[in-house]
Amino acid sequence: MSALHDLPAHALLAAYRQRTLSPVDVVADVLAHIGRWEPHIQATYLLRPDAALAQARASEARWLRGAPLGALDGVPATIKENIATRGDPMPLGTAATALLSAAADAPPAARLREAGAVVVAKTTMPDYGMLSSGLSSFHPLARNPWDLSKGPGGSSAGAGAAAAAGYGPLHIGTDIGGSLRLPASWCGIFSLKPSLGRIPIDPPYTGRAAGPMTRTVADAALMMQVLSQSDARDSMALPAQDIAWGRFDQGVEHLRGLRIGLLLEAGCGLAVEPEVRAAIEQAARWLEQAGAHIVPMQPFMTQAMLDGMDHFWRMRSYIDLQALPAAQQGKVLPYIRAWADSAAGLSGTAVFHASQQFHLTRLATVRACNAFDYVISPVAPMPAFAAELPSPTDDPLRPLEHIGFTVPFNMSEQPAASVNCGYTTGLHPLPIGLQIAGRRFDDLGVLQLAHAFEQIRPPQRAWPQPPGI
């Protein structure tokens, strides 16, 4: 029998329906488990046990009346810190932000509450979400449950760590260049960066998406049913669409005949490490043995594309930081300040040319993927790196060398997921994520392929346990 904190959302909902489990017992168990883990991984912000238990008691009463509020009633969930929740301050991971209470729930938070989910806590992130790390000037350093010397990735750092550690089944993060998929890969969980606008978000921004972070595709599909509902606050939101998210399970036979591109080199950034490459090649063989047609791809990204996006984001951050009082600027992580300040000398012409790389990336990505039903690749060129480092290179002038596989699908607006496909060797084996990207709007298809892959991969290692357990 699995511990309550390890049960998937669909199992909890079935048990609530049958009255064999109470949301109060489940949330109490999750909170106790968080208490054992949290001193070690520091994944949460605004952890409020009394408020969570009050939500659980209200859910229990609804289930006893036979009137659940929605599709997630009583299921524990966490929300990334940069997704506004009414009445709560939103520091954006940095000590430089004024702690003002949010006036309203942002769309993803509103949808979770409307569906009855029990919001146990918010989860941590690095300064302004601009690191693939759990390093923050506001939050304690987040760590990876698989190996406490490693980071969980970012910027959805706390969410990735929380999902792997068993802080309940449902977690939501955000992604503008890989911030869902990178921590998912490094923490061994599942995440979907949906098509741009599939999950309404506020404020919207080019390439920015919210998405589920779960241990299974089934739970992510359940979240998509709720999170994909329309919200007028997102000017980039897709039209409301009745998608049969419950049809994520099409069986292994669904793989037969699929034409899948295999991308093993990003064309920019850091080289793929041998253990990561071997894991992705093995995943491709499993898919091929199940009937898919695997076709090697040539890289379509260039270093100029990656550098251009990097330089544009530097200038955006430089302008934002310059607008802060000097005392507040000094509170931002030195790495982020050095990265942003490097844009000070860029000319208008240089910034314009940098901005064009977003569109060129979009064109190249769509063109390269058009020949395939799906594309698979590494999520990142390396496994999880040292927790104290802001980025794999630890160099503010080479900060994004690890996002060459993930960022193109933000710019092309295509859905892309991370699903665990293997582990490194050594004393503390680390997860390795397989990225699955689909055509624009084919979010359900990506879930279906990822679920089929879950069925053909070998049994997974046991989830990590708190030290001393």
Side-chain angles (χ1 to χ4, degrees):
M1 175 81 180
S2 296
L4 298 185
H5 55 263
D6 281 330
L7 290 176
H10 57 84
L12 291 176
L13 291 164
Y16 296 161
R17 197 171 295 112
Q18 296 161 8
R19 300 189 182 182
T20 57
L21 279 180
S22 159
V24 176
D25 293 336
V26 171
V27 171
D29 185 76
V30 167
L31 289 169
H33 190 63
I34 292 173
R36 291 187 289 271
W37 256 126
E38 192 59 5
H40 306 284
I41 62 173
Q42 302 285 0
T44 65
Y45 169 61
L46 300 181
L47 174 63
R48 292 178 289 209
D50 290 346
L53 287 169
Q55 294 173 64
R57 286 191 289 271
S59 173
E60 179 185 64
R62 292 192 293 270
W63 280 107
L64 289 174
R65 294 197 307 270
L69 186 61
L72 303 178
D73 205 340
V75 180
T78 72
I79 298 173
K80 187 177 177 181
E81 184 249 285
N82 67 340
I83 297 173
T85 47
R86 184 181 178 187
D88 295 328
M90 191 168 62
L92 301 176
T94 179
T97 301
L99 297 180
L100 304 176
S101 297
D105 286 336
R111 299 296 88 78
L112 288 181
R113 291 195 204 274
E114 291 162 3
V118 174
V119 179
V120 174
K122 300 194 77 174
T123 50
T124 59
M125 59 182 281
D127 287 51
Y128 300 110
M130 293 309 298
L131 297 176
S132 298
S133 163
L135 186 63
S136 164
S137 62
F138 181 85
H139 301 295
L141 177 63
R143 294 182 180 272
N144 193 317
W146 291 94
D147 181 345
L148 297 178
S149 73
K150 307 297 184 184
S155 63
S156 302
Y167 288 20
L170 306 182
H171 310 270
I172 184 165
T174 62
D175 187 317
I176 198 171
S179 290
L180 286 163
R181 291 155 289 161
L182 291 164
S185 173
W186 292 329
C187 291
I189 63 168
F190 177 78
S191 185
L192 172 69
K193 180 208 73 67
S195 300
L196 184 71
R198 178 69 71 204
I199 294 177
I201 194 167
D202 183 35
Y205 189 82
T206 301
R208 183 172 185 245
M213 303 181 76
T214 60
R215 287 181 170 184
T216 66
V217 173
D219 278 354
L222 186 61
M223 290 186 80
M224 290 300 297
Q225 174 185 330
V226 169
L227 296 172
S228 62
Q229 297 174 40
S230 62
D231 194 299
R233 288 175 287 176
D234 187 346
S235 59
M236 299 181 181
L238 296 175
Q241 187 176 357
D242 186 15
I243 296 174
W245 297 109
R247 296 183 57 201
F248 67 89
D249 183 2
Q250 295 296 295
V252 174
E253 59 273 14
H254 174 68
L255 299 172
R256 292 197 170 279
L258 289 180
R259 183 175 169 84
I260 298 177
L262 172 61
L263 183 67
L264 291 171
E265 295 178 16
C268 58
L270 296 169
V272 177
E273 294 188 5
E275 283 193 294
V276 172
R277 184 184 183 99
I280 303 306
E281 289 175 333
Q282 180 58 66
R285 285 192 290 271
W286 289 328
L287 290 166
E288 191 168 47
Q289 290 163 6
H293 300 298
I294 305 296
V295 183
M297 294 177 65
Q298 293 299 310
F300 53 85
M301 284 285 289
T302 67
Q303 192 66 41
M305 292 174 184
L306 186 62
D307 289 346
M309 290 185 281
D310 175 19
H311 292 159
F312 183 86
W313 282 329
R314 292 185 202 202
M315 180 56 78
R316 184 193 70 175
S317 294
Y318 175 72
I319 292 170
D320 289 344
L321 294 187
Q322 288 298 302
L324 295 174
Q328 296 305 104
Q329 290 182 38
K331 296 179 180 180
V332 177
L333 275 179
Y335 183 97
I336 294 289
R337 294 204 311 271
W339 172 71
D341 287 348
S342 68
L346 289 179
S347 67
T349 300
V351 174
F352 171 79
H353 287 303
S355 73
Q356 297 310 294
Q357 298 304 316
F358 290 91
H359 187 60
L360 294 177
T361 298
R362 176 191 182 98
L363 294 177
T365 306
V366 173
R367 187 183 306 118
C369 295
N370 272 342
F372 306 102
D373 297 308
Y374 301 94
V375 168
I376 60 173
S377 73
V379 174
M382 77 290 293
F385 56 95
E388 293 79 8
L389 295 182
S391 71
T393 62
D394 194 24
D395 181 353
L397 300 184
R398 296 176 60 238
L400 304 182
E401 300 294 290
H402 57 290
I403 69 169
F405 289 107
T406 51
V407 71
F409 299 109
N410 294 81
M411 299 310 124
S412 67
E413 305 183 15
Q414 294 171 243
S418 175
V419 59
N420 193 58
C421 69
Y423 304 85
T424 63
T425 56
L427 182 61
H428 297 289
L430 296 169
I432 297 170
L434 173 73
Q435 181 169 246
I436 300 172
R439 294 178 179 176
R440 192 175 175 212
F441 311 133
D442 189 21
D443 305 72
L444 179 58
V446 169
L447 291 180
Q448 290 169 341
L449 177 51
H451 183 66
F453 182 78
E454 283 182 326
Q455 295 172 279
I456 63 173
R457 69 185 180 185
Q460 298 292 281
R461 293 176 181 266
W463 292 103
Q465 295 298 316
I469 298 297

